[in-house]
Amino acid sequence: MTQHNLSNTISLLARTPAALNALLRDLPETWTFHNEGENTWSVFEVIGHLIHGERTDWMPRVTMIVQFGEAKTFEPFDMSGHIREIQGKSLGDLLDEFARLRSENLAQLRALNLQPEDLKRRGRHPALGEVTLSEHLATWAAHDLTHLHQISRVMAHQYREAVGPWSKYLGVLQCAGHSA
Amino acid sequence: MTQHNLSNTISLLARTPAALNALLRDLPETWTFHNEGENTWSVFEVIGHLIHGERTDWMPRVTMIVQFGEAKTFEPFDMSGHIREIQGKSLGDLLDEFARLRSENLAQLRALNLQPEDLKRRGRHPALGEVTLSEHLATWAAHDLTHLHQISRVMAHQYREAVGPWSKYLGVLQCAGHSA
């Protein structure tokens, strides 16, 4: 298990939009507009959620920690925020918007030129209480991965019956979702 | 849940190498050379496994079904076959090799010009018994997704401690692996 390393975090964050673009752009809607059943997200909705995080969660909370530390509690994240983001958009629009926002946010993060001692600074999460800037930034990267994990599972679900007897060999089809 | 559609399958299969390339090429080794513990695979090993499947499983079994139907049992797949594939290679080498083999295999698949009635043809799997060509092709696509699911999980595992209290919110960190 690795300690958090800001450079490794940024390397991953910088690649996610291109990876999703390569996987999803112009893919048939079977893969991208179907979900896993009632109250679950399609791939399209997941990208909307990633956009909403870029706009309201990741860099806004970095700024809040740097400016106010634990004195100010983060705004709670809106888990329905993607609904506004996807309204009237195509998947291609969302992929473009995600790439644009991520690129702007990483430029803003790099400009802060955070040092190891800055990463120890603390903020206040509305549910988790005290968290460090380091934990927040590591979570940004792990959050990309949790949704890549979800996207692969939502897509595989569309072929649950098509694979016939192979379903028992495919780990992704045993995954219960773990709520993301 | 969707019926198997060969065109949708090929659309996905064609995108996987570029998606993995965008995500993984030149990524710090923290992400790509660490695994989830004893007897688990790193991302590097997973790409070796995908290469081995291109070489020995997917199109060879398509050809066998088309030529021999149920009369000939598939060669069992070698789950250690990736060891030879990764020997002396860099991750960049593996990504190149996977893209090259996938592209050749899809050209070969398209050249077969399979019709709906062909997809009903049956082959014999050494453990599963009778399977259809349709199920085999759908599994090829779902197998890409099971390993994308695994890759995102193996990578997230490297930040299990770094995310601190957020770990309980990240679905990928609750995923037990389901054996792939």
Side-chain angles (χ1 to χ4, degrees), chain A residues 119-130:
Chain A
L119 296 181
K120 295 180 192 147
R121 298 192 63 165
R122 288 171 187 280
R124 192 172 300 282
H125 185 282
L128 297 172
E130 270 189 22

Side-chain angles (χ1 to χ4, degrees), chain B residues 54 59 98-109:
Chain B
E54 292 303 304
M59 280 309 296
F98 176 52
R100 190 183 65 75
L101 289 167
R102 174 60 59 89
S103 167
E104 285 177 11
N105 281 332
L106 289 182
Q108 201 185 331
L109 176 62

Side-chain angles (χ1 to χ4, degrees), chain A residues 1-2 5 8-9 15 22-23 25-26 28 30-31 127 139 146 149 152 157-159 166 169 171-172 175 178, chain B residues 1-2 5 8-9 15 22-23 25-26 28 30-31 127 135 139 146 149 152 157-159 166 169 171-172 175 178:
Chain A
M1 222 91 66
T2 332
N5 172 305
N8 289 348
T9 294
R15 279 166 175 79
L23 182 67
R25 189 175 294 264
D26 299 326
T30 289
W31 297 118
T139 300
T146 219
H149 185 258
S152 57
H157 178 72
Q158 311 312 320
Y159 267 21
W166 266 286
Y169 290 170
V172 67
C175 184
H178 331 292
Chain B
M1 221 94 63
T2 333
N5 172 304
N8 290 348
T9 294
R15 280 166 174 78
L23 182 66
R25 189 173 296 262
D26 300 326
T30 291
W31 297 119
E135 289 163 349
T139 300
T146 219
H149 185 257
S152 57
H157 177 73
Q158 311 311 320
Y159 267 22
W166 266 286
Y169 290 170
V172 66
C175 182
H178 333 292

Side-chain angles (χ1 to χ4, degrees), chain A residues 106-122:
Chain A
L106 289 182
Q108 202 186 330
L109 176 61
R110 288 190 187 97
L112 289 176
N113 190 26
L114 295 172
Q115 300 303 310
E117 61 272 22
D118 297 320
L119 296 181
K120 295 180 192 147
R121 298 192 63 165
R122 288 171 187 280

Side-chain angles (χ1 to χ4, degrees), chain B residues 78-93:
Chain B
D78 179 3
M79 286 298 287
S80 304
H82 65 283
I83 296 170
R84 289 193 302 285
E85 305 288 357
I86 66 181
Q87 199 85 45
K89 302 285 171 61
S90 70
L91 179 59
D93 293 336

Side-chain angles (χ1 to χ4, degrees), chain A residues 23-49:
Chain A
L23 182 67
L24 302 174
R25 189 175 294 264
D26 299 326
L27 201 60
E29 298 193 351
T30 289
W31 297 118
T32 51
F33 282 83
H34 290 96
N35 62 19
E36 297 175 286
E38 211 179 339
N39 294 319
T40 66
W41 288 349
S42 67
V43 170
F44 182 66
E45 290 168 301
V46 172
I47 309 300
H49 167 76

